Amino acid sequence: MFIDVAKIELKAGRGGDGAIAFRREKFEPLGGPAGGDGGNGGSIIVKGDSGLRTLMDFRYKRHYKAESGENGKNKKQYGKSGKDLVLKVPVGTLIKDYKSGKVMYDIKNDGDEYIIVKGGRGGRGNVKFATSVRQAPRFAEPGKPGDERTVLLELKLIADIGLIGMPNVGKSSLLSILSNAKPKIANYHFTTLSPNLGVVEIEHGKSFVIADIPGLIEGAGEGAGLGHDFLRHIERTRILAHVLDISGSEGRDPLEDFYKINDELKEYNPELAKKKQIVIFNKMDIPDSELYEEIVREELEKEGYTIVETSAATGEGVKELSYKLWEIIEDTDNEYETFDEEYDFYEEEKEEDIIISVKNDIIHVEGPFIDDLVYRTNFENYEALNFFYNTLKRRGIIDQLKEIGLNEGDTVVVGDMEFEFRE
């Protein structure tokens, strides 16, 4: 079974809490703060692996969680950071944000890495809050939660040559002879259920990747058969090699087959019609091939197509085909693109750091920085509360609140906490 789409849920590790601790050593009755920082949570990283061909692993496991960081310790010891979780995917995998459908990253090469969710930062221990005035802080910070996200992995094959054509025209047979691939080969009329990849080696240092793209039957562009599932893979090929049963052994006219397949490509995406295409006359060993060969050749050469004659059954013309394909590859720019995706890679909307607004005559202070500050503050601890106020003052927020009319005794909402303003 070929799995090319997978929805997975990811959660990065939580940061460890900072420690509240003090030196308690002999002859050190007034030992200072000694609480270490918590370790950072592990991130989840997606990495391209050329050895993988499907997203099968993600069919059986859909939830992934990275390791959390350890809490800080006494004697200024930092907590251990959580290990990153690396998820390996085939080259050619798109990583999409599930909610927006936008592309976050495109794994184009073996070894490409992308941090898809970041681990939470470890909280600071009380040693980090010591000052000349506050020499024995009795508060520390909790670690931040790791990012969470649901993503869609979508695999699109990356190949130099994509073999296209009606079922049973000999694509799989040609692939097996041209390359080291071992596709299922049978005389069936529907379609192969999974794309096959092979490597064609012309000579040392000269090789290319070829893919048998199945799923193309009449109506594929509108989703018939497995049309949409496999038409997407054609987008990732540099050149299309259109295989025709020139003998008409299946009772079809090869010229009609040619135009039907190209109509399906246009129906799915007009951009696909612009791809360079070479035409392969296969089954030339069958006597009736001469009936169609001359008529079809004349028509397609008139339209500028390069034609190569082969017989997968006898091997005739296959070597010439491999050299012709290499020649065309060498003469074609590698324009890597995915036609049906948004071209701007996913970026989270940048929120303003601090937003001050008035709602129902009450002043509100909001924003990512505020949410983080509120989360990290223990409001039951006087020193932590004092640090919270001083942070707002240092950032100029208190002055801004006064400028817009905040007075002694007024209510102000900071994040999700409500306060009565006192100086």
Side-chain angles (χ1 to χ4, degrees):
M1 184 182 293
F2 182 80
I3 305 298
D4 63 355
V5 176
K7 174 188 172 186
I8 56 175
E9 295 180 12
L10 309 173
K11 185 175 182 179
R14 183 183 184 279
D17 296 337
I20 303 172
F22 299 89
R23 291 175 62 188
R24 290 290 185 267
E25 299 173 20
K26 195 175 182 181
F27 309 120
E28 289 285 350
L30 300 176
D37 295 353
N40 294 329
S43 299
I44 298 182
I45 299 168
V46 175
K47 183 176 183 178
D49 185 338
S50 59
L52 298 177
R53 288 288 178 264
T54 74
L55 297 171
M56 180 69 75
D57 291 346
F58 301 100
R59 177 181 175 87
Y60 303 110
K61 184 178 179 183
R62 296 175 184 255
H63 299 268
Y64 295 87
K65 185 178 179 181
E67 194 174 84
S68 293
E70 289 184 350
N71 294 335
K73 301 175 184 177
N74 197 357
K75 298 183 180 179
K76 302 180 183 179
Q77 294 182 73
Y78 282 29
K80 185 180 178 183
S81 290
K83 288 183 180 178
D84 292 336
L85 177 61
V86 179
L87 304 179
K88 293 184 178 180
V89 299
V91 174
T93 299
L94 286 172
I95 304 166
K96 295 182 175 181
D97 178 70
Y98 184 72
K99 289 182 180 178
S100 68
K102 290 184 179 179
V103 176
M104 298 170 66
Y105 197 76
D106 189 352
I107 301 291
K108 296 182 181 180
N109 307 295
D110 185 44
D112 280 359
E113 290 188 357
Y114 177 67
I115 300 175
I116 197 164
V117 284
K118 292 182 180 179
R121 193 171 71 243
R124 291 177 290 177
N126 67 335
V127 71
K128 292 290 179 66
F129 296 98
T131 65
S132 57
V133 177
R134 185 177 54 240
Q135 296 184 7
R138 287 175 169 76
F139 67 97
E141 287 179 333
K144 284 193 70 175
D147 292 342
E148 295 184 52
R149 176 171 282 135
T150 300
V151 301
L152 196 68
L153 303 178
E154 185 175 296
L155 174 62
K156 296 190 177 184
L157 293 177
I158 298 178
D160 298 295
I161 303 291
L163 292 173
I164 62 172
M166 286 288 190
N168 208 33
V169 294
K171 300 192 301 296
S172 297
S173 299
L174 281 173
L175 177 69
S176 66
I177 299 169
L178 280 166
S179 71
N180 58 1
K182 294 181 176 61
K184 272 187 185 176
I185 299 170
N187 185 27
Y188 42 79
H189 296 269
F190 183 60
T191 175
T192 312
L193 291 181
S194 52
N196 294 295
L197 280 176
V199 178
V200 180
E201 188 167 8
I202 304 297
E203 56 187 68
H204 182 67
K206 290 184 177 180
S207 62
F208 58 88
V209 178
I210 187 168
D212 166 16
I213 308 292
L216 297 185
I217 59 175
E218 190 170 3
E222 298 174 353
L226 299 175
H228 281 181
D229 289 336
F230 294 118
L231 275 165
R232 68 164 60 103
H233 297 294
I234 295 175
E235 298 173 350
R236 296 295 184 111
T237 58
R238 292 168 66 179
I239 300 156
L240 300 180
H242 199 145
V243 185
L244 298 179
D245 173 6
I246 202 63
S247 72
S249 62
E250 295 294 308
R252 298 189 309 258
D253 183 328
L255 192 59
E256 285 184 16
D257 281 0
F258 178 82
Y259 289 121
K260 280 179 182 177
I261 291 294
N262 278 286
D263 285 344
E264 298 306 331
L265 299 184
K266 291 175 188 174
E267 179 70 29
Y268 177 72
N269 194 317
E271 293 291 330
L272 294 180
K274 300 176 184 177
K275 278 189 178 289
K276 188 172 287 188
Q277 220 178 108
I278 180 175
V279 181
I280 301 170
F281 285 2
N282 193 32
K283 302 190 181 183
M284 286 295 297
D285 57 302
I286 298 177
D288 289 345
S289 61
E290 300 93 22
L291 297 175
Y292 289 103
E293 191 268 339
E294 188 176 342
I295 298 170
V296 178
R297 177 184 291 277
E298 183 180 352
E299 183 70 24
L300 296 185
E301 284 186 342
K302 194 188 304 179
E303 296 182 30
Y305 290 103
T306 299
I307 296 169
V308 179
E309 297 180 358
T310 65
S311 168
T314 66
E316 179 188 352
V318 174
K319 188 173 183 181
E320 290 79 0
L321 173 61
S322 64
Y323 278 100
K324 174 57 70 173
L325 291 174
W326 174 257
E327 182 184 312
I328 295 173
I329 289 169
E330 286 285 273
D331 195 42
T332 305
D333 292 333
N334 188 9
E335 295 180 358
Y336 186 102
E337 59 184 326
T338 303
F339 298 122
D340 67 342
E341 308 302 339
E342 296 186 38
Y343 285 95
D344 293 330
F345 276 12
Y346 180 83
E347 287 186 9
E348 294 205 38
E349 293 180 9
K350 302 294 182 184
E351 296 183 67
E352 291 183 50
D353 206 22
I354 298 168
I355 304 167
I356 298 176
S357 60
V358 179
K359 302 172 185 177
N360 299 323
D361 298 325
I362 296 176
I363 297 175
H364 290 253
V365 185
E366 302 167 297
F369 170 78
I370 296 299
D371 292 339
D372 184 50
L373 182 61
V374 169
Y375 173 79
R376 289 173 174 271
T377 302
N378 177 5
F379 291 101
E380 295 180 2
N381 182 289
Y382 173 77
E383 289 184 67
L385 187 59
N386 193 45
F387 179 79
F388 175 82
Y389 174 81
N390 287 333
T391 301
L392 295 179
K393 193 170 185 178
R394 191 169 59 251
R395 291 290 297 257
I397 298 170
I398 300 297
D399 289 339
Q400 291 180 55
L401 295 176
K402 290 178 180 179
E403 286 176 11
I404 62 173
L406 184 66
N407 298 310
E408 192 85 6
D410 286 349
T411 297
V412 58
V413 178
V414 182
D416 57 2
M417 301 291 291
E418 187 174 295
F419 301 92
E420 185 178 295
F421 182 62
R422 300 286 181 192
E423 280 205 280

